[in-house]
Amino acid sequence: MQFVIPTAIPTRTIDAPNFSTSRFRAEREADWIAFDFLLTKLEKKGAKALTSDELLQLPLLYRATLSSLSIARATSLDKALLDHLEALSIRGYFLVYGVRESRWNRLRRFFLYDWPAAVRSVWKETLIIALVILLGALTSYSLVSSNPEWYFNFVDEEMSGGRDPRATAEYLQTTLGHGKAAAEKGESGLHVFATYLFTHNSRVSILSFALGFAFGVPTLMLEYYQGIGLGAMMAVFSAKGLGFDFGGWLFIHGTTELFAAALSGAAGLRIGTAVVFPGARGRLQAASAAGRTAGKVMVGVILMLFAAGLLEGFGRQLIADTMLRYAIGTLMLLFWLAYYYIPRREDVT
């Protein structure tokens, strides 16, 4: 059999307009400039800055830009022009069709919905951390009550400030803000108390969160340590008959401070459990999702610690009445519980 090599079939030319970049730009650039001008105006001043005619032009110019982009892709115009049209189209999409919120609305949404929702989502971890803190306090309290020498193994000298088993009841009374000696101290040290408390507890709380990725073990240890110092100091004051007064001294800021400590531990534990038990997702993906929730919780923790620092450094020093201290601490606890756990319907706008 003889094979015949077929003759070449003429190549069919694609019917596409033979535009040059300069001609294409000259015909359509006015629309792109007008669209860019309206987008810049919208970004800087919002929709209120646009007239009714400009608002009507906006979607028309957006579609014209998309049409230019489509033609530029089909005709393989220069890359610089193609990149410019793509960037302009993406920018236009988000400004014309995207949901835009003001900074005030974003802050409002965070404080009213996002932060409380993140805290509610870690309620199991919060309960576990609260029990760990309580266990640390009970452990040190029982040990110091049976043998006061244990106190020096639990409480740092700088933190104790002379409030240890060797102190007299009279001295301990003055450190609680009662009596003539306390009044003579004045207010000069108030900012020192506030700064020290905020720094110390912020450090422990942030470490508790940051080390959560290590399967949550360092988090549990640090939160247990938080309770250790509390229980040891409670044992010292109780031994001198000042347990109730010490409770008021602690309660005015402690409800906020310990709540914040529990939340920081819960945030770290959420990341640790996501690493250990990622479920159907990969460990990195699970840890990333947990980290977003934990990050929102930690923003609130810093604000709570700041409030606790103010309550300790100022409110506790200026308010000497024990019952009033208990009342303020109780009100703060009720406030945080209501803020976090009372359901609220999110506005749909």
Side-chain angles (χ1 to χ4, degrees), residues 315-337:
R316 193 185 64 191
Q317 302 302 316
L318 297 173
I319 299 172
D321 184 81
T322 300
M323 294 307 299
L324 186 55
R325 289 175 172 179
Y326 274 109
I328 293 174
T330 301
L331 286 175
M332 291 302 300
L333 178 60
L334 293 176
F335 167 76
W336 293 120
L337 291 174

Side-chain angles (χ1 to χ4, degrees), residues 163-183:
R163 291 169 288 192
D164 57 50
R166 298 169 299 189
T168 63
E170 289 74 16
Y171 175 77
L172 293 178
Q173 183 80 18
T174 64
T175 65
L176 296 177
H178 301 309
K180 182 179 178 180

Side-chain angles (χ1 to χ4, degrees), residues 101 105-114 346-347:
E101 285 187 305
N105 285 335
R106 287 196 291 270
L107 282 173
R108 177 178 174 273
R109 179 176 297 276
F110 175 78
F111 283 105
L112 287 182
Y113 306 110
D114 295 346
E346 184 171 355
D347 296 335

